[in-house]
Every structure is written in C-alpha cells, then in structure tokens.
Amino acid sequence: MTPNSLASELDRLKKIDSPLMGYPQKLHRVVDVEKPPPFKHRTIPVTHSKPPKKRNCCCKFMCCTILLLVLVLAIIGTTAGVLYLLFQPKLPKYSVDQLKISDLRLNSDTSLDAQFDVKIAANNPNEKIGIYYEKQSHISVWYSSTKLCQGSLPVFYQGHQNMTKLNVGLTGHTQYGSTLMGTLQEQQQTGRIPLELKVDVPVRIKLGKWKVRKVRIMGRCSLMVDSLSANNVINIKTSNCSFRLKL
C-alpha cells in the first residue's frame, strides 16, 4: 500500500467513527464565571436614648397645673352662672334731682371757695340683692378740668327694690380762681353752664344672707345748669348719667 492510499484510508475511518459525521461542528467559547463572594451583613449597634426624667416631671407638672386651672375656671363659671340665674342682678341707678349753691365767692388772694348741696336719688331695682354703702366714698363737681368741690356719701344699707334720697354737702377751695370766676360769669350770661359730677363709691353686695366682697360703683353725670348764683336753687336743664361696676 502506497503512502497516499494509507492516508486516504485513515481519513475514511475517522469519518465513520465521528457521531456527527457529515455535519460541520461548531465550537463554543466557554467562559468561566466566578461566583460573587457571599454578602456579609454589617451589624450596626443601636443605642436607645432614654429621655431625661427631669423633662418628664416638668411636662407632668405643667399638664396638672393647666388641668387644675381649667377645673377652677369651670367651677367659678358654673357658680357665677347659677348665682346670676338665681338672683338676676341689676346695676343700681342714680340721678341728680337738685343742685343748690350755698357759696361761690372769690377771695382777696384770688382763690375761689365753693359750697354745693346736691340731692341724689339712688334706686336699687333688685328683688334679692341689698347694697351696703361703705366708707371712703368720693363725689365731686367739676367745671371743665377744674374741681370746684367734693364730699362723700353717707354710710348706709339699701334694701331690696328701694329708692333712697341722699342730701350731700360738697365744699372746695381752688387757687387762682380769678380766671375761673371770669369764665363762669361769661358762661352764666348764656344760661348754659356745663358741670360734671363724678362718683366713686365702695359697696358690698348682699346676696340673700351672704355678704360678698367689696366692689366699687363708678359714675359720671354730665349736667347743664342755667346759673351758678349763690343761695339759689339751680335749674338743671339736662342730665346724662352713666355708671359701671369695678371689681
């Protein structure tokens, strides 16, 4: 056998032994993929901070204080509402019935002396409330911004639904009265002299059998009179009074 025939025979035998005889074979590239390293969980330490006890105590104290105040206000409001419905309080009414000038003269030192007599009507319209008029009351008569005279109301008790007439004497001494006297005389010629009566009276209220704390009755009366002649009853042309209760 020649060398060429021997090589041909070997090639024939290789084709017979191949399982994919007659088909072209494809080659695939194999790539080795390394597995990633296992993930390690990192442990982070957790610290739990405790709130300071002092702050908690302050918060509890504030909450208790506010709750106590709300409770006290609720009790006071409820009590006041019950008393109002039970007694139905009304503010007393006052009016100036008469004004008389006993003395109004200019002295040699240009000072001015004045003496007024005022008749005041005090009306208590309440059915279940009495009024105690206390000491240290003040009543005064003013012309413009100058106080002419002053005095005080008597101390007395006024019962339920009572009308009381009060005669109050007022006296005053004013420095530099010459200018004031001249202005009053000019006003007297017009027949319209504005005066103001101011009242400040401390009173105690009697609710049934209970005598409550002292309060003050504050008032003003704007008067328009026709004359300021001494020893004469003055004609009050207009009178406008307003009063309020000061706790």
Side-chain angles (χ1 to χ4, degrees), residues 67-84:
L67 183 61
L68 182 61
L69 288 176
V70 171
L71 183 61
V72 170
L73 291 176
I75 293 174
I76 293 175
T78 303
T79 304
V82 171
L83 291 176
Y84 181 83

